């Protein structure tokens, strides 16, 4: 049975793929108000949130991850699966999506690609290179034999035979404590770097399968292949790669795991190798806990001179790479779901499955919608929206401070919250604990997105939740309990029709220290 599970997991991996809260107020950015005639016309009406069809997981409707970035003159188009975010003349508009995803491969095509991957082409200085990466031996060739190494092949211009290079072995993976078995080297990105081809290869992870992020370049004069595996990013999945004018490599990173193709990783990473080498060099990481980066998982980047555009599942940032370590070097806009005020009075529930309302509000001002959960066994059943609400509701959690390991010094990497509690996927912004769309881990096998639950021991479906994305305030903490306020409430979904927009992010004034940390 194990060989079948192994193959199934590998094939499954083939298909994986500032203040964000509302305490400073919200309002719709004036789409198209400075249209100079060259910008795309904004939609006649705001683009409403729509449920994604033919999916079984309700969180997919909040998947705004940027899949591609296109530039046409002054027009930048950030494409998610279902929406386009268009930047032109310092103005944002939201449009229905134009992204064309590659057609899904059949089971037979996935098997064939796993056993004998197709060569990809890459042009450098007018000459074509062909390349591919694969497991050796193929897990399909002998299901009883584990793959022992990851191979990278390059066919340089004018040559017929590939140059075959071992990137790493299963033993190297184990020695680095990155995994137990080799995962398919799915992610490959290539750029022209110092007039040579440069590739980065990484692999999705799950149930002990993993890989080592590896940079590969080819020296046509010496006809040699050079590889580098910076230890700081060895365990990351690299999803995009660009180079800035000063030869700094910029990349987007993430992690993955069993039942979840998207975990936050190191965020936006820069790597500046020394001149004429890929070995050594400085690695810097910018994520939601140490920078203004808007979103836990950056997915695509676009370089325009020294300006780096970063697309995440929670918003978009414009970064001056020469000022990246200062707040002044960042301008960010977050995705937001809004409902215009119409003076209606609406009943509020303190948790998603409560029978009786706990309060009510009059929609005098625009209201921000944060999340949605179904009210029945099917994702097509009516449900409730989580909305931003002040003053919110209090709740008691049966937990105090808990370290990830047995030793208080056993902290996780700095891009993860150092304490383990129900709000570990929120992050402190200097005022509150906040959570972006892409910080909600989609655990397909473990009861859905982690959240603040009404009953922490009840994982029945539909879930009964206190907060998924509502801001959190710690009121009191003891050894075994914690009193919190979640600045959100729940409203029957039939009463709201939220539309999607972008809001500029304002930095928190006079930020305070995290109340859960020493």
């Amino acid at each position: 049975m194990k060989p079948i599970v192994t193959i199934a997991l590998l094939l499954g991996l083939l298909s994986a793929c500032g203040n964000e809260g509302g305490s400073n107020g919200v309002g719709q950015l004036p789409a198209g108000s400075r249209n100079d005639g060259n910008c795309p016309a904004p939609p006649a009406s705001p683009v409403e949130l729509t449920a994604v069809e033919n999916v079984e997981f309700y969180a997919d409707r909040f998947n705004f991850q940027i899949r591609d970035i296109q530039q046409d003159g002054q027009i930048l188009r950030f494409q998610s699966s279902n929406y386009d975010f268009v930047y032109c003349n310092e103005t944002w508009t939201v449009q229905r999506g134009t992204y064309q995803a590659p057609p899904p491969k059949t089971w037979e095509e996935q098997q064939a690609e796993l056993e004998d991957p197709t060569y990809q082409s890459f042009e450098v200085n007018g000459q074509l290179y062909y390349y591919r990466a694969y497991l050796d031996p193929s897990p399909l060739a002998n299901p009883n034999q584990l793959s022992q190494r990851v191979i990278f092949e390059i066919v340089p211009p004018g040559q017929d035979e590939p140059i075959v290079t071992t990137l790493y072995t299963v033993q190297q993976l184990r020695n680095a404590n990155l995994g137990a078995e080799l995962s398919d080297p799915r992610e490959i990105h290539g750029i022209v770097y110092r007039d040579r081809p440069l590739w980065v290869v990484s692999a999705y992870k799950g149930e002990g399968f993993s890989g080592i992020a590896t940079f590969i370049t080819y020296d046509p004069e010496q006809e040699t292949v050079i590889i580098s595996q910076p230890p700081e990013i060895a365990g990351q999945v690299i999803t995009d790669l660009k180079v800035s004018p000063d030869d700094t490599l910029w990349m987007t990173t993430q992690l993955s795991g069993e039942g979840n193709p998207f975990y936050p990783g190191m965020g936006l990473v820069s790597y500046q190798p020394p001149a004429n080498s890929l070995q050594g060099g400085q690695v810097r990481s910018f994520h939601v806990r140490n920078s203004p980066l808007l979103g836990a998982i950056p997915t695509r980047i676009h370089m325009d001179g020294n300006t780096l555009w970063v697309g995440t599942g929670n918003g978009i940032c414009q970064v001056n790479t020469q000022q990246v370590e200062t707040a002044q070097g960042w301008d960010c806009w977050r995705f937001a779901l809004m409902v215009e005020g119409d003076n209606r009075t609406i009943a509020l529930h303190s948790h998603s499955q409560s029978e009786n309302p706990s309060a009510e509000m009059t929609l005098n001002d625009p209201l921000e919608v944060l999340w949605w959960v179904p009210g029945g066994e099917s994702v097509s059943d009516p449900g409730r929206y989580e909305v931003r609400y002040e003053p919110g509701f209090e709740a008691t959690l049966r937990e105090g401070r808990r370290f990830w390991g047995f030793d208080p010094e056993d902290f996780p990497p700095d891009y993860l919250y150092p304490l383990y509690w129900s709000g570990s996927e929120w992050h402190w912004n200097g005022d509150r604990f906040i959570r972006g769309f892409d910080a909600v881990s989609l655990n397909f096998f473990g009861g859905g997105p982690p959240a603040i639950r009404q009953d922490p021991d009840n994982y029945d479906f539909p879930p009964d939740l206190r907060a998924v994305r509502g801001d959190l305030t710690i009121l009191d903490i003891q050894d075994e309990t914690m009193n919190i306020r979640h600045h959100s409430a729940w409203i029957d979904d039939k009463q709201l029709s939220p539309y999607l927009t972008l809001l500029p992010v304002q930095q928190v004034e006079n930020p305070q220290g995290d109340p859960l940390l020493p």
Side-chain angles (χ1 to χ4, degrees):
M1 179 61 68
K2 182 179 179 181
I4 296 177
V5 173
T6 300
I7 294 172
L9 177 58
L10 289 170
L11 293 175
L13 290 173
L14 281 170
S15 60
C17 200
N19 174 23
E20 300 166 21
S23 56
N24 289 334
V26 296
Q28 186 179 10
L29 199 67
S33 61
R34 290 185 295 273
N35 194 323
D36 62 358
N38 295 319
C39 298
S45 58
V47 176
E48 292 188 357
L49 177 71
T50 56
V52 181
E53 296 181 355
N54 301 321
V55 298
E56 297 181 356
F57 201 67
Y58 61 87
D60 285 341
R61 70 180 63 195
F62 303 106
N63 182 0
F64 305 127
Q65 290 185 347
I66 301 302
R67 301 300 185 190
D68 193 19
I69 305 174
Q70 299 179 351
Q71 183 169 11
D72 181 9
Q74 66 174 335
I75 302 171
L76 277 169
R77 185 177 296 272
F78 298 79
Q79 297 177 302
S80 69
S81 296
N82 299 290
Y83 307 93
D84 285 3
F85 306 96
V86 181
Y87 183 80
C88 182
N89 197 26
E90 301 183 359
T91 300
W92 286 101
T93 60
V94 179
Q95 302 177 353
R96 284 296 173 193
T98 59
Y99 177 70
Q100 298 293 321
K105 290 183 171 63
T106 66
W107 175 260
E108 291 74 19
E109 289 172 333
Q110 292 185 59
Q111 288 182 306
E113 192 67 20
L114 184 62
E115 186 166 8
D116 187 19
T118 304
Y119 280 99
Q120 305 296 314
S121 63
F122 180 43
E123 184 176 325
V124 181
N125 297 326
Q127 295 183 309
L128 283 179
Y129 287 80
Y130 294 90
Y131 64 92
R132 65 177 183 173
Y134 56 89
L135 295 171
D136 180 47
S138 165
L140 298 180
N142 185 350
N144 295 315
Q145 182 179 4
L146 294 177
S147 300
Q148 296 299 308
R149 60 192 61 81
V150 170
I151 300 294
F152 193 74
E153 292 185 356
I154 303 173
V155 182
Q159 296 189 24
D160 297 325
E161 296 297 322
I163 298 174
V164 181
T165 303
T166 297
L167 298 187
Y168 52 88
T169 66
V170 66
Q171 193 57 53
Q172 288 175 300
L173 183 79
R174 294 168 180 171
N175 291 344
N177 294 318
L178 294 176
E181 299 179 18
L182 295 175
S183 181
D184 182 48
R186 169 177 172 74
E187 285 292 318
I188 307 175
H189 300 275
I191 60 172
V192 178
Y193 185 68
R194 296 171 178 169
D195 290 326
R196 298 177 182 176
L198 173 72
W199 297 271
V200 60
V201 176
S202 59
Y204 283 88
K205 310 168 191 306
E207 189 137 332
F209 291 87
S210 188
I212 301 176
T214 305
F215 293 89
I216 308 107
T217 189
Y218 176 73
D219 184 344
E221 295 181 359
Q222 302 295 325
E223 297 185 347
T224 57
V225 176
I226 303 168
I227 69 173
S228 174
Q229 295 167 341
E232 298 92 335
I233 54 178
Q236 300 292 304
V237 181
I238 298 173
T239 56
D240 203 2
L241 178 69
K242 296 292 185 293
V243 59
S244 59
D246 64 354
D247 282 349
T248 299
L249 296 171
W250 292 89
M251 64 204 80
T252 54
T253 67
Q254 66 162 78
L255 298 176
S256 61
E258 180 186 3
N260 192 333
F262 305 111
Y263 275 131
M266 291 175 65
L268 176 67
V269 173
S270 69
Y271 172 41
Q272 191 167 33
N276 302 317
S277 174
L278 276 183
Q279 306 300 325
Q282 182 183 26
V283 174
R284 295 178 297 173
S285 171
F286 305 92
H287 48 79
V288 294
R289 301 192 190 282
N290 72 354
S291 79
L293 179 66
L294 192 66
I297 305 177
T299 54
R300 290 293 181 267
I301 50 180
H302 176 76
M303 185 68 67
D304 185 4
N306 287 312
T307 298
L308 181 67
W309 289 91
V310 185
T312 77
N314 195 50
I316 297 167
C317 288
Q318 182 186 35
V319 186
N320 182 338
T321 57
Q322 296 180 320
Q323 295 181 298
V324 65
E325 294 186 342
T326 69
Q328 292 72 27
W330 297 71
D331 287 306
C332 297
W333 300 263
R334 66 184 181 91
F335 304 143
L337 296 167
M338 304 299 300
V339 176
E340 293 295 343
D342 57 8
N343 298 318
R344 285 183 295 153
T345 298
I346 295 182
L348 303 175
H349 298 261
S350 61
H351 51 101
S352 63
Q353 303 296 329
S354 69
E355 295 183 4
N356 300 314
S358 301
E360 62 181 25
M361 70 157 48
T362 301
L363 297 184
N364 295 321
D365 300 310
L367 175 68
E368 183 171 3
V369 172
L370 304 174
W371 203 254
W372 177 88
V373 296
E377 295 294 330
S378 171
V379 296
S380 61
D381 290 339
R384 285 180 179 159
Y385 283 119
E386 181 187 18
V387 300
R388 201 173 297 282
Y389 169 63
E390 297 293 351
F393 296 99
E394 293 187 16
T396 299
L397 308 181
R398 298 198 300 268
E399 59 188 334
R401 292 187 182 92
R402 288 187 288 171
F403 294 98
W404 287 96
F406 295 104
D407 188 336
E409 299 300 321
D410 185 19
F411 284 168
D414 65 356
Y415 52 81
L416 296 178
Y417 195 71
L419 298 179
Y420 179 75
W421 64 295
S422 297
S424 295
E425 292 191 357
W426 278 254
H427 70 275
W428 179 251
N429 77 331
D431 178 44
R432 293 175 174 178
F433 289 95
I434 63 176
R435 191 184 199 186
F437 287 109
D438 60 0
V440 183
S441 294
L442 309 181
N443 191 335
F444 293 106
F445 305 137
I452 307 297
R453 293 179 176 270
Q454 171 69 1
D455 179 355
D457 299 322
N458 185 351
Y459 280 80
D460 292 340
F461 194 88
D464 192 8
L465 307 178
R466 280 278 188 168
V468 178
R469 289 193 57 236
D471 295 352
L472 303 180
T473 298
I474 306 298
L475 302 176
D476 178 64
I477 184 169
Q478 305 295 328
D479 290 341
E480 302 296 333
T481 61
M482 183 187 307
N483 293 326
I484 69 167
R485 182 184 300 277
H486 58 95
H487 300 266
S488 61
W490 297 85
I491 296 177
D492 291 343
D493 58 8
K494 63 183 179 181
Q495 300 189 61
L496 303 177
S497 297
Y499 62 86
L500 185 58
T501 188
L502 292 100
L503 300 176
V505 175
Q506 304 295 328
Q507 299 299 316
V508 173
E509 296 183 4
N510 303 315
Q512 304 299 309
D514 186 337
L516 288 184
L517 297 181

